[in-house]
C-alpha cells in the first residue's frame, strides 16, 4: 500500500505538470513542469523524500527498460536516419561531454559552498 501511495503522489505531480503544459503558453515540456513542481514541494517541505523514496528508487531501477521503446523506434527509423547519423552522433557526443562537465563543475561548486557553510558554523 505504501508504494501505491508513493506512485500516486508522483503521478499527481506529473499530471499537474501536464496540466501546466496545457494551460501555460510556454515552450516547456510537461515533464519539466512536473520536476519543478516536485522540487518546489521538496524545498518548501510540503513533500518529504521519505514520502516518495521507495517508488522513486523503483523507477530508477527500471529506467533502462523504459528506454526500450525509444530505441526500437530509432531502429525502425534507421532508413531515414542513416543520412544524418554521423552529425547526430557527433552532436550527441559533444553535448554529453558538455553536460558532464557542467554537472561536475556545479557539483564541485555546491560541495565547496556546503563545506564553507559548515566551516562558518
Amino acid at each position: 500500500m505504501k508504494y501505491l501511495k508513493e506512485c500516486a503522489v508522483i503521478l499527481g505531480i506529473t499530471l499537474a505538470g501536464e496540466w501546466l503544459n496545457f494551460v501555460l503558453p510556454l515552450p516547456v515540456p510537461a515533464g519539466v513542469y512536473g520536476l519543478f513542481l516536485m522540487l518546489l514541494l521538496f524545498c518548501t517541505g510540503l513533500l518529504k523524500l521519505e514520502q516518495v523514496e521507495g517508488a522513486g528508487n523503483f523507477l530508477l531501477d527500471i529506467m533502462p527498460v523504459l528506454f526500450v521503446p525509444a530505441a526500437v523506434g530509432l531502429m525502425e527509423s534507421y532508413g531515414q536516419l542513416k543520412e544524418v547519423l554521423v552529425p547526430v552522433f557527433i552532436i550527441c557526443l559533444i553535448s554529453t561531454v558538455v553536460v558532464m562537465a557542467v554537472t561536475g563543475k556545479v557539483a564541485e561548486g555546491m560541495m565547496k559552498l556546503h563545506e564553507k557553510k559548515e566551516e562558518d558554523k
Side-chain angles (χ1 to χ4, degrees), residues 73-75 77-86 88:
L74 284 174
M75 289 171 29
S77 303
Y78 177 74
Q80 297 167 334
L81 290 174
K82 67 181 176 182
E83 300 161 359
V84 293
L85 202 56
V86 173
V88 168

Side-chain angles (χ1 to χ4, degrees), residues 2 5 9 12-13 16 49-50 53 64 69 90 115 117 121:
K2 175 186 172 196
K5 180 183 172 190
V9 170
I13 293 169
L49 179 61
E50 298 81 30
E53 188 172 19
I90 292 170
E115 290 172 1
K117 272 186 169 179
K121 288 183 180 182

Side-chain angles (χ1 to χ4, degrees), residues 3 11 22 28 30-33 56 60 67 74 78 80 89 95 99 103 108-109:
Y3 295 116
L11 180 63
F22 178 74
V28 177
V32 174
Y33 283 126
L60 285 174
F67 285 103
L74 284 174
Y78 177 74
Q80 297 167 334
F89 179 75
S95 63
V99 167
T103 303
E108 283 179 3

